[in-house]
Amino acid sequence: MRIANLAGRLALLTADGAIDVATGGFDTDPAALFRQWDALLGWAADDPATAVPYKESDLLPPVPEPRQIFAVALNYRPHTAEAGYEEPAEPLVFTKFPTCLTGPYATVGLPPGHVDWELEMVAVIGREAYRVPEEKGWDPVVAVTVGQDLSERIVQLTGRPAQFSLGKSFPGFGPVGPALVSLDELADRDDLELTCVLNGEAVQHDRTSNMIFPVPKLVAYLSAICPLRPGDLIFTGTPAGVGNRRTPQRFLTPDDTLVSRISGLGEMRHTFRSAP
Ligand code: ZN
């Protein structure tokens, strides 16, 4: 199942278009997604109705108001090396505050500073979970999707120690989508190909199988401390190739187009403007 937030209503996305979940008798409110999840999965498997065309720009964040957004720093070795750090012994966690979320084809306002890209797979919690053992770490995750952990590096790295969360939470800094993809759609949920393309040039390319801390470890680690709730998002870390660590450095400008692609999940496309 590929389920999206189309102009504020839950809709299945298929190769032919979108199917409003009201045609199956479901509540269309995105906030009602996870209590209907299993029933929606069954309905979606039955090829329920005729899809209709839709505008990409009408897609909004599939989970518009998660209660918690966790994000993981330094979860790929080449990115850890380019950032100049040693490999962490345990996951390094910060948050993206939920007001930063935006849709998969939005135009993002650039605040003053150095705004950088970070393509990441996002794991979506669908079930209450607390103190999950690592061997059951996928259990509360019902879907994955594509995310960008957009980051303004000056705010992010100000102070000793640096505090990451605010520099990663400007409006529009949390693009997610285009759809939540249920795990049964994936041949191997632990090995997805990530490709981030800036103005036609591939700037990041890796596979989720190369994570230092894979999804089950992240779920175990986070849920040992914080109870996880349906709709919570986990940004699982970015591969090498961010702009801040290039020579010369490179940051997003109003003319740029950023494509964020993960195999099996689809792609997002963002343009930028100067923030007022
Ligand atoms: Zn990140």
Side-chain angles (χ1 to χ4, degrees):
M1 173 171 72
R2 292 165 190 270
I3 192 153
N5 175 356
L6 187 60
R9 297 172 67 89
L10 289 171
L12 300 182
L13 298 190
T14 73
D16 302 321
I19 302 171
D20 193 290
V21 303
T23 61
F26 293 96
D27 187 337
T28 62
D29 184 351
L33 174 57
F34 297 100
R35 66 173 169 75
Q36 307 179 96
W37 185 267
D38 290 337
L40 281 163
L41 265 182
W43 175 67
D46 282 344
D47 206 7
T50 303
V52 296
Y54 64 93
K55 283 197 307 192
E56 287 181 335
S57 58
D58 283 341
L59 288 171
L60 300 173
V63 184
E65 294 185 341
R67 281 174 285 190
Q68 307 184 91
I69 303 176
F70 303 95
V72 180
L74 308 180
N75 202 18
Y76 290 83
R77 288 180 184 88
H79 175 60
T80 304
E82 75 177 352
Y85 294 101
E86 292 183 11
E87 187 173 317
E90 295 288 353
L92 294 171
V93 180
F94 58 93
T95 191
K96 291 174 78 70
F97 295 104
T99 50
C100 78
L101 291 180
T102 195
Y105 299 99
T107 296
V108 177
L110 295 170
H114 295 167
V115 180
D116 204 348
W117 56 88
E118 293 194 1
L119 169 60
E120 311 199 2
M121 189 188 83
V122 174
V124 182
I125 301 297
R127 301 186 179 94
E128 304 268 350
Y130 187 46
R131 296 175 175 166
V132 181
E134 186 172 342
E135 62 270 21
K136 295 185 176 178
W138 273 107
D139 285 4
V141 178
V142 295
V144 290
T145 191
V146 185
Q148 263 288 345
D149 175 19
L150 294 175
S151 305
E152 197 287 294
R153 301 300 190 192
I154 296 174
V155 171
Q156 179 193 341
L157 299 173
T158 293
R160 286 171 62 88
Q163 44 161 344
F164 280 17
S165 299
L166 285 175
K168 290 163 170 280
S169 293
F170 285 88
F173 273 29
V176 177
L180 303 190
V181 179
S182 59
L183 301 180
D184 59 291
E185 296 268 339
L186 304 172
D188 184 351
R189 63 193 180 184
D190 292 298
D191 184 30
L192 305 178
E193 182 180 20
L194 309 114
T195 310
C196 182
V197 179
L198 177 61
N199 301 333
E201 175 192 345
V203 289
Q204 293 187 285
H205 184 230
D206 208 331
R207 306 189 72 87
T208 59
S209 51
N210 290 327
M211 286 182 189
I212 298 171
F213 306 110
V215 169
K217 168 68 179 180
L218 296 178
V219 168
Y221 187 78
L222 295 170
S223 74
I225 299 163
C226 299
L228 304 181
R229 301 286 174 75
D232 287 354
L233 305 178
I234 305 172
F235 281 69
T236 57
T238 199
V242 299
N244 195 38
R245 300 299 177 180
R246 289 169 180 265
T247 307
Q249 288 181 318
R250 185 170 169 185
F251 300 108
L252 294 168
T253 70
D255 299 329
D256 289 335
T257 299
L258 187 68
V259 175
S260 308
R261 183 183 303 137
I262 301 182
S263 59
L265 307 187
E267 68 178 35
M268 308 193 293
R269 187 175 59 255
H270 292 93
T271 53
F272 299 89
R273 61 175 170 76
S274 293

